[in-house]
Amino acid sequence: MVAAGLYLLLLLPFSLSRPAGSFKSKLVVRSSRATPPAGFVPLALADDPGRTLRLTVALPQGNVAGLHAALLDVSDPKSANYGRHTSKSDVEHLVAPKAESSKTVADWLSNNGITPSSISSSGDMLTIEVPASRANTLLNANFTTYVHDATNATMTRTLSYSLPDELGPHVSFIYPTTQVLSPSSRLRIRAVDHPTTMDGRHPRTRRADVASACNSEFGTTPECLQTLYNIPAISATASGNTLAVTGFLDEVPDPDDLKTFLARFRPDAPDGTFDFTSVNGGLTDGNGTSEASLDIQYTVGLATGVHTTFVSVGGGQGTANDSPFLDEINFLLQQDVLPTVMTTSFAGSEPDNDDADFTSLAQTVCNGYAQLGLRGVSVLFGSGDGGVAGASPGVGCPSQSFIATFPSDCPFVTYVGATQQFEPEVAAPFSSGGFSNAFPRPDYQAAQVETYLEALGETNAGLFNATGRAFPDVSFQGVGFPIVQNGRLNVLDGTSASSPSFASVVALINDQLLNAGKPSLGFMNPFLYSEAASEAFNDITSGSNPGCGTEGFPAHSGWDPVTGLGTPDFERLLAAAMNAAQ
């Protein structure tokens, strides 16, 4: 049930003649598209010209190659610098834009009477708030509100925007303009008619075998997951070990629902709590929603005793301020103290075209996660629920080619696919996986992916980019998760269950690492794919992820684009992490 969205960016440059402030050069179309994204139609021919738009102006980042090199250096178990995460100021220095770019963009805004409402800590992103009419004049645009026929989601976009010719080299992109980078949530929910009180609860047996722990009337409970993956139930104790849960699209968890959930499914740890952090007006109260309830109940419910925070980010489809990915990244990078683990259950699909503007936007978002990783944060995402057809069930495949999910294609994030059944586990058919068209394959996964491609042979030939970043990296159970929402039990499926659950495993491993005087895992992928962790996963060899009129990719021994390296065994993964941090 990973949240799903579209990522469509087209770049068709041509010239106009129009001055902007003291920038007397001609305006050049920076991005243009002939029509709105599929399914969106104008809500009104005349949009409110006074509506305030919140736009992000991104500048070219400085030493991106240095950022990537530094991240891989501290994340490779073979490196002498493994685990030596970098300070906030050093990371900011790596990505700070050139002084010329900062001055040129500042002059352009000042000459047009605009003062940024916020600036990222490294100076690579500025936020401006302007009326739609002013934005239209500034960018030679026509901002219009569009509505999606099927979902009724709305967004404000322009089909074209322009910049002064001399400004072009100093701006990576302005968002949102022609792009669509808003997640939406589509949940696989099955209501069940069970009371949520303690009455009739079967006795909790921590040492129960998988058959008895995982085949109860309630399905994939915390007890089942603890038994299946050898996850400890004892409380974490390390200071500074924190877990952040991302919330977009007005998703919000209810503390009372969590209390009821823990009483029913973790009676040995009924006092778990979480904090709220609001970014850009994100909600911090209200009736519990499905996605947020799932994420909080299976982080607090599995990562026993780990300090957990729900980061509620305002904006998303239906608002003028729909840049939640960028807003969250910039908020976190401004903090002096960061969580050690962050899980996000929102993603979307890569565009079905070759587009320089999408690449620029995607790289900026991905570099934000790289900065978090360099500072010691493990960033996890659910891989998506559309099989090889993208992030969400029902997404079409216009060219018949397989669709990767974003930001699941970012090489600096750990992506979690889904499994189902227990003895043995098999791939969940909705588990998104495949190969990116936007990012090349990183070296850390090259050997495992090549082995899979050799075994795959000509199956699905021509339908995917065999040289792209491959995903998911790992997997976790993703079917039959009971939650409490507004006092009632629901059962949910999806990689949105898998990511927060795997993040809980990481948080508990960090607890033991920190208590042993070792660094937290940080960016995990080079470690996960290394020889050091080769025995830490349960290999999943059955199942596939159908889509686009095909059976998708088959699971296979070793890494595969359905379940990644497999599901974790806590004890073996902890031992590998301890040994790697020697």
Side-chain angles (χ1 to χ4, degrees):
M1 110 202 83
V2 157
L6 300 170
Y7 295 86
L8 305 174
L9 295 151
L10 300 175
L11 187 60
L12 302 173
F14 58 91
S15 298
L16 296 173
S17 296
R18 178 179 176 146
S22 64
F23 285 70
K24 300 301 183 181
S25 63
K26 61 186 177 183
L27 292 180
V28 176
V29 172
R30 183 56 179 264
S31 182
S32 175
R33 57 186 310 130
T35 61
F40 282 90
V41 297
L43 184 63
L45 293 178
D47 196 18
D48 178 7
R51 184 180 191 186
T52 298
L53 300 181
R54 186 170 177 270
L55 304 175
T56 297
V57 182
L59 283 62
Q61 295 173 321
N63 187 6
V64 171
L67 168 68
H68 296 170
L71 176 61
L72 294 173
D73 188 36
V74 302
S75 306
D76 184 351
K78 295 180 180 179
S79 169
N81 292 317
Y82 180 66
R84 296 181 179 178
H85 302 125
T86 306
S87 69
K88 178 177 182 286
S89 60
D90 285 346
V91 172
E92 291 170 354
H93 180 73
L94 280 171
V95 298
K98 294 180 180 178
E100 180 186 4
S101 294
S102 298
K103 184 178 186 307
T104 301
V105 171
D107 288 347
W108 173 61
L109 294 174
S110 176
N111 291 339
N112 284 278
I114 298 172
T115 301
S117 57
S118 66
I119 301 175
S120 65
S121 56
S122 63
D124 62 335
M125 280 184 261
L126 291 72
T127 301
I128 62 173
E129 297 182 17
V130 293
S133 58
R134 186 76 179 279
N136 287 339
T137 301
L138 181 72
L139 303 174
N140 196 39
N142 183 24
F143 282 96
T144 303
T145 298
Y146 296 90
V147 62
H148 192 264
D149 285 333
T151 65
N152 210 37
T154 61
M155 65 177 185
T156 300
R157 291 295 188 276
T158 177
L159 297 185
S160 175
Y161 80 97
S162 303
L163 294 173
D165 194 15
E166 66 209 75
L167 187 66
H170 304 290
V171 173
S172 292
F173 58 84
I174 297 179
Y175 176 84
T177 48
T178 59
Q179 318 95 331
V180 180
L181 190 58
S182 291
S184 62
S185 182
R186 298 180 185 171
L187 310 181
R188 302 156 59 95
I189 305 173
R190 291 177 279 136
V192 294
D193 189 20
H194 288 300
T196 58
T197 66
M198 295 280 288
D199 296 338
R201 176 174 52 83
H202 62 276
R204 177 180 171 80
T205 54
R206 178 67 189 93
R207 296 184 180 277
D209 59 22
V210 171
S212 62
C214 294
N215 288 296
S216 73
E217 58 182 327
F218 296 107
T220 312
T221 63
E223 179 186 6
C224 167
L225 297 171
Q226 288 170 332
T227 305
L228 182 64
Y229 298 132
N230 291 317
I231 301 170
I234 60 174
S235 183
T237 59
S239 62
N241 184 30
T242 56
L243 199 167
V245 176
T246 295
F248 294 154
L249 299 176
D250 292 340
E251 286 282 341
V252 63
D254 185 339
D256 290 337
D257 283 343
L258 173 63
K259 183 177 181 179
T260 303
F261 175 86
L262 294 175
R264 179 63 187 81
F265 295 110
R266 283 300 310 272
D268 59 322
D271 299 324
T273 61
F274 67 97
D275 296 332
F276 279 104
T277 293
S278 177
V279 178
N280 191 27
L283 296 181
T284 57
D285 57 37
N287 292 331
T289 56
S290 299
E291 181 66 74
S293 299
L294 171 68
D295 290 356
I296 281 295
Q297 288 169 25
Y298 280 85
T299 47
V300 177
L302 282 177
T304 312
V306 175
H307 184 93
T308 302
T309 298
F310 186 80
V311 183
S312 180
V313 186
Q317 284 184 355
T319 78
N321 305 327
D322 59 353
S323 54
F325 288 108
L326 292 173
D327 286 346
E328 182 180 40
I329 289 169
N330 285 329
F331 170 81
L332 290 172
L333 290 174
Q334 289 172 351
Q335 308 308 305
D336 293 325
V337 179
L338 291 173
T340 51
V341 188
M342 182 175 80
T343 176
T344 302
S345 296
F346 297 82
S349 298
E350 277 188 356
D352 187 30
N353 55 66
D354 236 347
D355 192 284
D357 249 14
F358 171 79
T359 300
S360 180
L361 177 58
Q363 287 175 344
T364 297
V365 172
C366 188
N367 288 339
Y369 296 128
Q371 292 173 66
L372 292 173
L374 186 53
R375 291 181 59 186
V377 183
S378 298
V379 181
L380 291 86
F381 274 77
S383 68
D385 294 347
V388 294
S392 182
V395 174
C397 306
S399 68
Q400 299 306 307
S401 296
F402 296 164
I403 302 172
T405 57
F406 179 84
S408 302
D409 52 1
C410 170
F412 308 123
V413 184
T414 301
Y415 293 97
V416 187
T419 61
Q420 61 183 6
Q421 302 177 26
F422 306 109
E423 294 183 309
E425 289 185 89
V426 300
F430 55 79
S431 183
S432 292
F435 299 81
S436 174
N437 292 310
F439 294 95
R441 183 189 309 150
D443 290 342
Y444 61 72
Q445 65 173 188
Q448 290 91 336
V449 174
E450 281 298 331
T451 297
Y452 178 82
L453 291 174
E454 289 174 6
L456 185 67
E458 293 300 310
T459 302
N460 300 325
L463 296 179
F464 65 97
N465 174 26
T467 64
R469 192 283 204 239
F471 71 99
D473 300 300
V474 294
S475 54
F476 205 92
Q477 281 284 318
V479 172
F481 280 57
I483 68 164
V484 176
Q485 182 184 352
N486 300 320
R488 300 294 300 173
L489 278 174
N490 286 331
V491 177
L492 308 184
D493 305 337
T495 58
S496 282
S498 308
S499 183
S501 300
F502 196 102
S504 297
V505 169
V506 176
L508 291 174
I509 289 175
N510 281 340
D511 176 68
Q512 298 206 31
L513 288 171
L514 293 170
N515 279 333
K518 302 177 185 294
S520 60
L521 284 170
F523 173 48
M524 296 184 292
N525 291 6
F527 160 68
L528 297 177
Y529 284 90
S530 72
E531 182 65 26
S534 60
E535 301 299 322
F537 294 95
N538 307 306
D539 197 5
I540 312 301
T541 59
S542 297
S544 65
N545 54 354
C548 300
T550 75
E551 291 301 310
F553 291 108
H556 193 271
S557 59
W559 180 90
D560 61 67
V562 194
T563 64
L565 295 165
T567 58
D569 180 283
F570 179 87
E571 294 176 357
R572 286 182 276 149
L573 189 58
L574 171 63
M578 285 287 190
N579 289 334
Q582 294 290 346

